[in-house]
Amino acid sequence: PTLILKEQHPSDNPIRDIFEHRQVEQNLELAIKMVRNSGIVSECYDVAQGYVDDACRALDVFPAGLCRSKLIELAEYSVRRRE
């Protein structure tokens, strides 16, 4: 989320100030508030889902079976656990 926040707010971004050790606690609270009040978390899940889809497709080279299905199940769980 912090990378997307930095991309979406290049000039008024509290992340840069945190890394420059300026008003860390206040800027951390501001960053959390900015992430929560935006669509960033949802966007992160969309990016993660894309990686999961790619990973599951990459498993297609292996024969169907318990091991492959469990790897797919694990990958899908990683993005489902927010529910």
Side-chain angles (χ1 to χ4, degrees), residues 2-20:
T2 57
L3 295 176
I4 295 173
L5 179 65
K6 190 173 184 298
E7 289 174 2
Q8 291 182 357
H9 299 276
S11 60
D12 62 339
N13 190 300
I15 302 301
R16 180 183 56 241
D17 293 333
I18 291 169
F19 281 102
E20 292 175 358

Side-chain angles (χ1 to χ4, degrees), residues 35 41 47 51-52 56 79:
V35 167
V41 172
V47 170
Y51 285 120
V52 166
C56 290
V79 291

Side-chain angles (χ1 to χ4, degrees), residues 4 10 29 31 34 38 43 46-47 52 54 64 76 78 81-82:
I4 295 173
E29 288 177 23
M34 290 173 78
S38 69
E43 187 175 343
D46 291 344
V47 170
V52 166
D54 291 345
E76 291 172 346
S78 69
R81 57 185 182 166
R82 73 175 165 164

